[in-house]
Amino acid sequence: MAYSDFKSIEQIEELFDVTIHSSHPLFRAVVPASPSVQLTEVLAENIPLALNINTEKARSEMIIAPLLIEVRKLVERQIGLFSGIIEFNVDPQRNLNGFCDFLLSASPDQVFLTEPVACIVEAKNENIKSAYPQCVATMIGAQLFNERRGNAIETILGVITTGSNWKFLTLQGQTIAIDFDEYLISEPGKILGIFVEQLRPLLQRIPI
C-alpha cells in the first residue's frame, strides 16, 4: 500500500489520529503575486493546448510544472522542486511510502530532498475530492520526515490540482484544514501568492 492507495478521509483519521475539517477560507486575504511576463506567455500558449489534449501528463507538464517553477523564481530559487519522486518512503509499515507528483523543499538543494514543506498532487480524472486521501497521507509523510530529522517546520502545505483548478490544505500538528475556496489557473497570481506566503516564514531561516 502507498500514498495513492488511501481511499477515504475516515481511513486517514483512524490510522493517524488526525482531525480534518473544511469550514472556512484559509487564504482569502492573501495578496496575489504578479506572474512574470514569461509565465503569462507560457500559460496563454499552454492552457488551451493542455485542456484540449486533456491528459494528466499534458496538464502536469504544460500547466502545473511551469507554475511551480515560477514559485521557485519568486522565492529567489531558495526552495527545492522535486517531480516524480517514486521513493518517498517515510514509514512503509504505516503505508507512508511511494510516488509523489511534486514536492517543494525549504532548501535549495536539488540533489537531496531534505525539508519537504509542500506536497502537490495531481487529481486523477479531474476529481479533486477523490485526491484528498492521497494528498493528506503525503502531507503526514512529509511532517513525519521532518520530525525525524529535527526540522522545525510548523506547517505542511498540501495542494490538489487538475491544472485548471487548485485546492489548498494545511497540516499543523494533528489538524488538517481544507481551504473552503478553490482557485482557477485563469488567476495565477492568487495561486502564486498562496505559495509565497506559506514559504516566506521558512525562507527567513535561509540567507538569500
Side-chain angles (χ1 to χ4, degrees), residues 9-27:
I9 289 296
E10 292 76 17
Q11 182 185 20
I12 297 282
E13 290 177 318
E14 180 179 347
L15 287 174
F16 299 104
D17 190 30
V18 294
T19 299
I20 302 172
H21 63 84
S22 175
S23 58
H24 61 277
L26 302 178
F27 302 110

Side-chain angles (χ1 to χ4, degrees), residues 160-175:
I160 302 171
T161 179
T162 63
S164 52
N165 295 57
W166 294 67
K167 191 79 163 180
F168 289 88
L169 306 81
T170 59
L171 168 59
Q172 293 181 317
Q174 295 298 109
T175 302

Side-chain angles (χ1 to χ4, degrees), residues 26-58:
L26 302 178
F27 302 110
R28 194 164 288 178
V30 167
V31 177
S34 298
S36 65
V37 173
Q38 181 182 18
L39 179 66
T40 301
E41 292 176 348
V42 166
L43 291 181
E45 181 73 24
N46 288 9
I47 290 173
L49 184 59
L51 297 185
N52 278 298
I53 294 173
N54 200 28
T55 64
E56 292 167 11
K57 186 173 187 292

